[in-house]
Amino acid sequence: MNWRHLGTFVWLRWRLLANGWRRAGSLNFVLTMIFAVTALAATVPVFIGSFLVGLYAMADAEPIKLLATWDVLVCGFTFVWCIGVLTELQRTESLSLSKFMHLPVSLEGAFVINYVSSLFGLTMILFLPVLVGLALGLAFSHGPRLLLALPLSAAFLLMVTAVSYQFQGWMASLLSNPRRRRTVLVGATAVFILLAQAPNLINFLGVWGPRNQAGGVGALAQEHENIVRQFQTQQIDQQEYERRQHEIEQQLEQSKQEQQSQAIQIERTFLLAHWIVPIGWLPLGVKSAADGNWALSLLGMLAMTLVGAASLWRAYWTTLRIYQGGFTAASGVEKRGGEPTPRAKTTPAAGRQLLETRLPWLSEPVAAIALASFRSLVRSPEAKMMLMTPFIMSVVAGGALVRQSAEMPVMVRPLLAIGALLMVLFGMAQLMANQFGFDRDGFRVFILCAASRRDILLGKNLAYLPLAGGLAVLLVAVVAAFCRLRFDHLLAMLPQFISMFLLFCLLANLLSILAPMAVAAGTLKPANQKFLTVLLQVTFMMVLFPLAQVPTLLPLGVE
């Protein structure tokens, strides 16, 4: 690897990033530069703070506490790094290698340089000083054996970045087929969201349900207070009081033994998970080094290094196949007997198509715009990603409330259904508040067509109604089944949703006109992000949207 080539690649990535900031406007460029300089300047105090934490705050920490501390760092880094990977799914590498093959750079060298240059990001700037500072602080406070945390951290970073780089190459090979592009993007985002919310979903399903409530320490203490009160009021005699107090002491001792055995079982399961999950090898190696087991730490470092090296080797061959056409060469033909055979053409289905449908009580331009926009929403990966948001947010945020709904007053239960409707609208806010930003080149159709602006907005809003209404019916039905809504309250959800949707459309139309943002195809990432536009979008989501929905609560409040 040529170090001058590496410096050139890093400089080029920085120049492309700075040009993107500058195109977004002068104010956005200045604010982004201030944030970047602040992040770079914060590396020194972050390093010093992490060093002092390891030197003083964790000087007497047990190995299991060191394990938990490094678990927090490892999970935080992995989560933030995965978010960055999801935003770059459309590219197999940071800089396209096809544009550098005419330069005096070998394919292997360009691949390595491109991988190394991709490590220079905000996530690495934030977490690398923390890992290094904490490792050095622990080495000074616990002894030189904790210096193994430095090579363990390096092997961990190699493993995570290499696996993510391989994942990006594999995703790029799948995205090279346009038919699979939408499904892959939606599926990857859904898996990431579900993994991030897995603890909340497990808690909602009651897997961690309360145990030993009858024999818990709190229940025994309450029972002991009752016995003392009965003895003081002479409801029981001295013999009965001593007998029952002896039973309580035995139950308390048994409860403590059960809690100790349960804690031991949890700790064993916790350590077993570190053996199974690769990202747990770094915390496990630090704990082993603190225990004096150097061999286990070296084994974990070797395993993470091998995983990282294998991932880079696989990513290189995937990239090579992409540029040699290995994933797209046979996309349009089928080989039979050594000769390409064109695929049979499919005939359109008989009958009237969706775009030819006539909608009652609507003019022809409004119906055409509504149906065309609805078809675009159904096919776009952005809409599929956004439609998952209300359902997941409702399950996670409303799970605890639904489980306690039996104790709620009857008049409070409709608030859960209204909250579900709010989740639906909030999940669609990013789409409806930027309706024309997702049209991209199709926006010129609205400019050149003879339809009035009123018809365009009405058609756009009607296109979202089936999606919002379907999700609303599903979530309200779930709330009604779990919370046992009264029948009249259930019927009232229909006019409730209509009023909420109309008020939401007014604000969404206004923001779509005043603060549009062009969005890159297949993503939710703005192509030309501006600070003022983002500020208006955030203000709408956090302030105007809740205030506009307050009047819809008046009917329930009056009742």
Side-chain angles (χ1 to χ4, degrees):
M1 181 178 64
N2 193 310
W3 292 104
R4 295 183 60 185
H5 291 169
L6 175 61
T8 303
F9 271 62
V10 174
W11 175 87
L12 181 58
R13 291 188 72 242
W14 162 252
R15 176 54 59 187
L16 293 175
L17 187 61
N19 291 341
W21 295 343
R22 189 176 288 106
R23 285 195 302 268
S26 301
L27 180 61
N28 181 80
F29 177 75
V30 172
L31 294 177
T32 308
M33 286 296 297
I34 293 175
F35 176 77
V37 173
T38 304
L40 289 174
T43 55
V44 175
V46 167
F47 170 79
I48 296 175
S50 302
F51 177 80
L52 294 177
V53 169
L55 182 61
Y56 295 107
M58 306 191 69
D60 299 328
E62 298 178 357
I64 192 65
K65 294 183 179 179
L66 296 180
L67 178 73
T69 303
W70 283 87
D71 278 337
V72 174
L73 293 177
V74 164
C75 293
F77 175 82
T78 306
F79 180 77
V80 177
W81 186 264
C82 289
I83 292 178
V85 171
L86 284 178
T87 59
E88 300 293 338
L89 282 181
Q90 291 77 24
R91 294 184 289 184
T92 178
E93 62 277 321
S94 302
L95 298 173
S96 179
L97 294 180
S98 61
K99 299 180 181 179
F100 296 94
M101 287 297 96
H102 62 282
L103 299 176
V105 182
S106 64
L107 181 61
E108 295 85 356
F111 175 82
V112 173
I113 291 173
N114 205 12
Y115 163 71
V116 175
S117 63
S118 67
L119 302 180
F120 295 90
L122 182 61
T123 304
M124 198 66 68
I125 292 174
L126 292 177
F127 281 91
L128 186 59
V130 177
L131 296 175
V132 176
L134 184 60
L136 292 177
L138 292 176
F140 277 93
S141 61
H142 288 261
R145 62 181 182 275
L146 263 298
L147 284 175
L148 283 174
L150 291 175
L152 282 169
S153 300
F156 168 76
L157 295 178
L158 172 65
M159 179 183 67
V160 174
T161 56
V163 170
S164 63
Y165 203 74
Q166 178 191 0
F167 175 74
Q168 284 183 275
W170 176 68
M171 292 293 292
S173 65
L174 294 179
L175 296 178
S176 60
N177 188 340
R179 294 184 178 181
R180 292 182 297 190
R181 182 183 181 87
R182 302 183 184 94
T183 305
V184 170
L185 288 175
V186 176
T189 306
V191 169
F192 178 76
I193 293 175
L194 291 176
L195 289 178
Q197 297 296 336
N200 289 329
L201 295 175
I202 293 174
N203 185 40
F204 169 68
L205 296 175
V207 176
W208 316 116
R211 299 179 180 178
N212 301 327
Q213 291 183 350
V217 177
L220 293 175
Q222 183 66 29
E223 186 177 354
H224 181 266
E225 292 178 1
N226 295 333
I227 294 174
V228 173
R229 190 181 303 109
Q230 292 176 5
F231 178 72
Q232 292 175 351
T233 57
Q234 297 182 356
Q235 296 180 10
I236 58 177
D237 55 7
Q238 179 72 23
Q239 185 178 1
E240 180 68 16
Y241 170 74
E242 294 177 355
R243 185 185 65 81
R244 294 175 64 178
Q245 189 175 15
H246 181 67
E247 292 179 355
I248 292 177
E249 291 177 355
Q250 290 181 346
Q251 294 178 5
L252 183 61
E253 184 66 24
Q254 183 180 1
S255 178
K256 289 182 179 180
Q257 293 178 359
E258 291 178 356
Q259 290 179 0
Q260 290 178 357
S261 61
Q262 185 177 359
I264 294 174
Q265 184 64 29
I266 291 175
E267 183 177 350
R268 291 177 179 175
T269 306
F270 188 60
L271 293 176
L272 180 61
H274 283 78
W275 281 90
I276 297 175
V277 182
I279 63 173
W281 294 345
L282 170 59
L284 186 61
V286 174
K287 178 183 177 299
S288 301
D291 290 332
N293 191 352
W294 290 30
L296 187 58
S297 299
L298 294 176
L299 181 62
M301 181 177 60
L302 178 61
M304 289 187 289
T305 304
L306 290 178
V307 171
S311 298
L312 285 179
W313 178 82
R314 182 63 180 173
Y316 169 74
W317 284 106
T318 302
T319 304
L320 184 62
R321 288 188 60 192
I322 290 176
Y323 285 101
Q324 289 179 347
F327 294 99
T328 58
S331 58
V333 296
E334 294 178 353
K335 292 186 177 181
R336 182 181 301 172
E339 297 181 358
T341 303
R343 292 181 178 177
K345 297 183 178 180
T346 58
T347 58
R352 178 176 295 181
Q353 302 297 316
L354 175 64
L355 299 182
E356 300 176 359
T357 305
R358 294 295 182 90
L359 299 180
W361 308 301
L362 296 177
S363 62
E364 187 175 355
V366 173
I369 294 173
L371 294 173
S373 300
F374 177 75
R375 174 60 64 85
S376 177
L377 285 173
V378 172
R379 291 182 173 180
S380 65
E382 305 95 328
K384 296 177 182 178
M385 292 184 210
M386 283 290 95
L387 291 178
M388 292 186 302
T389 304
F391 180 75
I392 296 177
M393 289 176 61
S394 300
V395 171
V396 174
L401 295 177
V402 170
R403 293 175 63 181
Q404 300 176 0
S405 60
E407 303 175 359
M408 292 183 178
V410 177
M411 296 304 300
V412 179
R413 297 178 186 178
L415 290 177
L416 295 179
I418 295 176
L421 299 180
L422 288 174
M423 288 292 181
V424 172
L425 298 180
F426 185 80
M428 303 188 68
Q430 193 170 356
L431 289 174
M432 290 195 65
N434 190 28
Q435 299 178 53
F436 303 106
F438 293 93
D439 290 330
R440 290 175 280 274
D441 294 338
F443 181 68
R444 68 186 64 181
V445 176
F446 297 117
I447 298 178
L448 299 177
C449 71
S452 63
R453 296 181 179 181
R454 176 184 178 277
D455 291 343
I456 293 175
L457 289 176
L458 180 58
K460 280 281 190 180
N461 296 156
L462 290 176
Y464 290 93
L465 182 59
L467 301 178
L471 283 175
V473 170
L474 177 62
L475 293 181
V476 169
V478 173
V479 172
F482 280 94
C483 300
R484 300 178 181 178
L485 287 179
R486 278 175 20 191
F487 184 70
D488 56 338
H489 286 163
L490 181 60
L491 293 180
M493 290 301 110
L494 177 59
Q496 178 77 23
F497 173 73
I498 293 175
S499 59
M500 294 172 65
F501 183 75
L502 292 177
L503 289 175
F504 177 69
C505 288
L506 290 177
L507 283 179
N509 293 340
L510 182 63
L511 196 64
S512 298
I513 297 172
L514 296 180
M517 288 191 299
V519 179
T523 68
L524 293 170
K525 185 177 181 180
N528 190 12
Q529 193 170 358
K530 296 183 178 180
F531 176 76
L532 183 59
T533 304
V534 175
L535 180 62
L536 289 176
Q537 293 278 353
V538 173
T539 304
F540 165 77
M541 299 278 283
M542 301 302 174
V543 181
L544 298 181
F545 171 66
L547 291 178
Q549 299 298 327
V550 169
T552 61
L553 300 177
L554 289 177
L556 183 62
V558 171
E559 184 184 2

